[in-house]
Amino acid sequence: QKEVEQNSGPLSVPEGAIASLNCTYSDRGSQSFFWYRQYSGKSPELIMSIYSNGDKEDGRFTAQLNKASQYVSLLIRDSQPSDSATYLCAVNSGGSNYKLTFGKGTLLTVNP
Amino acid sequence: SAVISQKPSRDICQRGTSLTIQCQVDSQVTMMFWYRQQPGQSLTLIATANQGSEATYESGFVIDKFPISRPNLTFSTLTVSNMSPEDSSIYLCSAKISLEAFFGQGTRLTVV
């Protein structure tokens, strides 16, 4: 059973702070990793993808991948109330057959 | 990315009936997916739909209950058959573009 684990949350941070979201995965052969943001009542929106070890930055978002530790994280700098949402970690556990396994998500609340 | 249009956006159905959900992508894609998201839960993959072949169902999901069509590279349907209240959920269509997956806006189904 391929699993993706996330901090259950909720995670509460003040406006302007750095929010750190973490995810671990069980399938060592996984090659691609994604973070989705899901607002209440809405569908998931892809915000970051990462494929190689290290950091990938896009605006206020930084994804970090460590395949040896089977760990992927998302940092949100200068958090805004509009960042309040559930963040889903997804891992392609199907290789070339492409099958995403999702974590249960972490609810982030940014307090003004 | 892609624009993925899903309809209906919501429906209330009587038990024992069937509902067909449509998903239209604004570009040709090889792989499309159908997910279920129950309240407060993460996404569970129902099946992968590739054009020109039978859908591949995940454990716990069967074709008789969730028949899927994939007539061309931009369109797919999911039917929820012989519905019961346990089928009340959000159903999400997804399409793979390059190495990333994008979602439609979802169908909120309530079975009474």
Side-chain angles (χ1 to χ4, degrees):
Chain A
Q1 182 79 359
K2 297 172 182 176
E3 297 182 341
V4 176
E5 302 285 344
Q6 292 184 248
N7 291 342
S8 58
L11 175 65
S12 181
V13 301
E15 183 174 357
I18 295 175
S20 177
L21 305 163
N22 305 313
C23 174
T24 59
Y25 58 94
S26 64
D27 182 10
R28 186 171 289 277
S30 299
Q31 293 296 318
S32 49
F33 309 84
F34 308 92
W35 284 99
Y36 288 83
R37 177 176 62 198
Q38 187 173 28
Y39 292 114
S40 180
K42 302 296 186 181
S43 64
E45 172 192 9
L46 180 66
I47 55 171
M48 290 289 286
S49 57
I50 187 166
Y51 307 102
S52 56
N53 282 329
D55 296 358
K56 179 183 178 182
E57 184 175 322
D58 184 1
R60 295 186 296 112
F61 299 98
T62 299
Q64 299 174 316
L65 175 61
N66 184 326
K67 290 185 179 179
S69 300
Q70 296 175 236
Y71 176 90
V72 59
S73 66
L74 179 70
L75 300 178
I76 306 174
R77 291 181 301 281
D78 189 23
S79 295
Q80 301 297 309
S82 59
D83 295 324
S84 298
T86 296
Y87 288 81
L88 299 166
C89 174
V91 176
N92 177 17
S93 55
S96 58
N97 288 327
Y98 200 89
K99 174 182 171 181
L100 291 184
T101 301
F102 283 82
K104 293 185 177 181
T106 299
L107 175 62
L108 172 66
T109 300
V110 181
N111 301 305
Chain B
S1 66
V3 175
I4 303 174
S5 302
Q6 193 174 331
K7 60 180 182 182
S9 58
R10 60 178 61 230
D11 207 341
I12 301 173
C13 300
Q14 296 291 323
R15 66 180 67 198
T17 63
S18 297
L19 175 72
T20 295
I21 303 168
Q22 299 181 0
C23 182
Q24 179 77 50
V25 187
D26 69 345
S27 58
Q28 294 185 336
V29 297
T30 302
M31 299 183 80
M32 294 181 71
F33 310 89
W34 289 97
Y35 289 85
R36 183 172 71 184
Q37 187 174 30
Q38 296 182 308
Q41 302 297 313
S42 190
L43 281 70
T44 300
L45 181 63
I46 297 171
T48 300
N50 293 332
Q51 195 271 335
S53 63
E54 295 292 323
T56 302
Y57 289 83
E58 297 300 309
S59 176
F61 297 97
V62 296
I63 188 171
D64 289 348
K65 176 67 175 178
F66 298 101
I68 288 171
S69 77
R70 183 77 203 275
N72 57 51
L73 289 172
T74 65
F75 187 78
S76 180
T77 67
L78 169 75
T79 299
V80 185
S81 303
N82 188 25
M83 287 183 285
S84 67
E86 291 71 34
D87 294 319
S88 298
S89 189
I90 296 172
Y91 293 85
L92 291 155
C93 167
S94 174
K96 177 177 173 285
I97 308 290
S98 184
L99 296 177
E100 299 173 337
F102 301 91
F103 287 86
Q105 68 267 42
T107 297
R108 182 180 295 272
L109 171 62
T110 303
V111 183
V112 298

